[in-house]
Amino acid sequence: MRARGSGEAAPRRRDAAVKAAPQQRTDAAVKAAPQQRTDAAVKAAPRRRDAAVKAAPRPGDAARGAAVKAALDGVRARCAVEERRARDPVSFVHRYTDPADQELVALIAASLAFGNVKALHAKIGEALDRLGPEIALTADDARAVSARLRGFRHRIYRDRDLVGLIVGARRVQRASGSLGAAFAAELSRTGDLRQALGAWVRAIRRAGGLDRRPDDRGAAHILPDPEKGSAAKRLMLLLRWMIRPADGVDLGLWPVPPSALLIPVDTHIEKLGYNIGLTDRRGATWKTAEEITAALRGFDPADPVKYDFALCHLGMLQQCPSRRDPVRCQGCGVKPVCRHWDE
């Protein structure tokens, strides 16, 4: 892998596919996407305003709301971004400079990001090392990808699962100009985050042949259907990386407004969201993600998911418990507004 700032220039590809990548966002597909955030459908996304979202628990009064916002802003301000980023899967994306590579690396890293942190980092690194420094160029040759990844394994995934993901994503990337343009076009068409993401996922699955193995657990899990009810944490993580403004963690590559995002709900965000009253739901479901995001939208309508990185890493550091714990809760930035302490 060729790291940014390594002193060695990143490879500049001159083939048509790379010229069409979203680096300057000048290709027809991206021009047609809602780049200026003016498309009414994208502005309105996500449009889902069902009873669960309407009933999302927001802080009960102005004083409580101000206290929660202050706690969240404090956690974000105190987050050691560079140190925490080095331990986050997004760190792999920052090693590349070509947007076509960054998109594919982000998809690989997000898709493999489950299980033990040390193990998943090792496996992401292994996959990228096997693929070489020019990920998009390698992905143009399905046989080469298959040969390089032969024998790869990570939990329930086998080499053919990762091959299908990479080859399918590259084909969609080439056809649309970028993965971001493909997703933005679906969001513009549907006006609904979940439907757009589902269509985008199906396109990649078809292009990579993952849909031809419906009973294969690895093929189904590596790029899951967001319309089945789970929080789709890894897909939401990918969207956050690609859509939120570049801030040293997220990269701001895709022409979609951050207001359209849902927070990636893992065990840390689920616990913290419940403990500070952003939701009364338990479990990492799509509705839980909607409720937590709806509450955060009250603090920043344009960029509600900006709190995710700092909150998630706070949860990992504190090992957030499900009850009052004087030892584990010591120094926690949201302790003043936690339901276990604010009684």
Side-chain angles (χ1 to χ4, degrees):
M1 291 185 291
R2 198 157 296 168
R4 176 183 292 176
S6 65
E8 186 176 5
R12 309 314 318 162
R13 292 188 285 282
R14 300 301 179 192
D15 65 304
V18 175
K19 284 181 181 178
Q23 193 152 9
Q24 300 300 324
R25 296 185 172 90
T26 59
D27 62 285
V30 177
K31 280 183 179 177
Q35 193 161 350
Q36 302 303 320
R37 288 27 172 197
T38 59
D39 185 282
V42 176
K43 277 187 174 179
R47 284 188 181 171
R48 217 169 264 255
R49 293 293 184 267
D50 59 17
V53 176
K54 286 181 179 177
R58 291 183 171 83
D61 55 34
R64 168 69 181 175
V68 173
K69 185 179 187 304
L72 294 175
D73 288 339
V75 166
R76 191 163 180 255
R78 291 189 296 273
C79 181
V81 172
E82 290 189 12
E83 176 187 345
R84 301 312 303 175
R85 191 185 81 176
R87 304 180 186 186
D88 193 278
V90 76
S91 62
F92 290 98
V93 189
H94 287 273
R95 299 180 186 183
Y96 297 79
T97 57
D98 190 301
D101 288 337
Q102 289 175 320
E103 286 190 318
L104 293 174
V105 172
L107 181 61
I108 293 166
S111 297
L112 298 181
F114 77 105
N116 177 273
V117 172
K118 185 176 180 180
L120 70 86
H121 271 256
K123 284 299 178 179
I124 294 169
E126 177 190 339
L128 296 177
D129 286 344
R130 284 175 177 239
L131 291 166
E134 299 179 277
I135 303 293
L137 189 62
T138 299
D140 283 332
D141 186 342
R143 290 185 179 180
V145 175
S146 182
R148 292 184 184 217
L149 292 177
R150 186 170 293 121
F152 178 86
R153 299 182 67 173
H154 175 50
R155 296 177 69 91
I156 64 172
Y157 302 147
R158 300 296 180 266
D159 47 13
R160 62 179 183 171
D161 303 321
L162 189 54
V163 170
L165 175 74
I166 295 167
V167 171
R170 177 57 173 162
R171 288 170 178 168
V172 171
Q173 187 182 61
R174 289 184 59 134
S176 297
S178 73
L179 292 176
F183 176 72
E186 290 294 346
L187 187 57
S188 180
R189 180 180 65 83
T190 64
D192 181 270
L193 178 67
R194 195 174 186 182
Q195 290 179 26
L197 188 57
W200 184 84
V201 162
R202 288 190 294 275
I204 294 176
R205 291 181 60 81
R206 282 194 303 270
L210 292 171
D211 63 333
R212 295 196 289 272
R213 294 188 279 126
D215 298 324
D216 187 309
R217 192 172 168 216
H221 189 271
I222 200 165
L223 198 61
D225 182 354
E227 299 188 60
K228 288 189 174 180
S230 78
K233 173 252 180 177
R234 290 172 296 133
L235 288 171
M236 293 300 109
L237 194 60
L238 170 68
L239 294 188
R240 199 204 82 205
W241 293 348
M242 295 290 96
I243 292 171
R244 280 204 67 255
D247 62 357
V249 177
D250 301 321
L251 291 97
L253 291 179
W254 288 5
V256 174
S259 58
L261 293 171
L262 287 185
I263 194 166
V265 176
D266 61 5
T267 182
H268 306 295
I269 293 297
E270 187 265 335
K271 276 188 178 180
L272 282 167
Y274 177 79
N275 285 352
I276 65 176
L278 301 180
T279 182
D280 281 330
R281 290 182 178 274
R282 304 311 304 263
T285 67
W286 188 271
K287 288 189 179 295
T288 301
E290 285 184 321
E291 287 196 357
I292 293 175
T293 307
L296 294 175
R297 197 172 284 122
F299 303 133
D300 190 336
D303 190 12
V305 178
K306 71 181 184 182
Y307 297 105
D308 176 59
F309 181 80
L311 273 179
C312 184
H313 282 272
L314 172 69
M316 287 190 283
L317 284 169
Q318 297 288 154
Q319 290 295 304
C320 187
S322 298
R323 60 183 180 275
R324 184 181 292 207
D325 186 323
V327 175
R328 286 167 63 181
C329 297
Q330 181 65 35
C332 177
V334 298
K335 181 179 174 182
V337 293
C338 176
R339 70 170 71 213
H340 302 304
W341 291 91
D342 187 21
E343 295 176 352

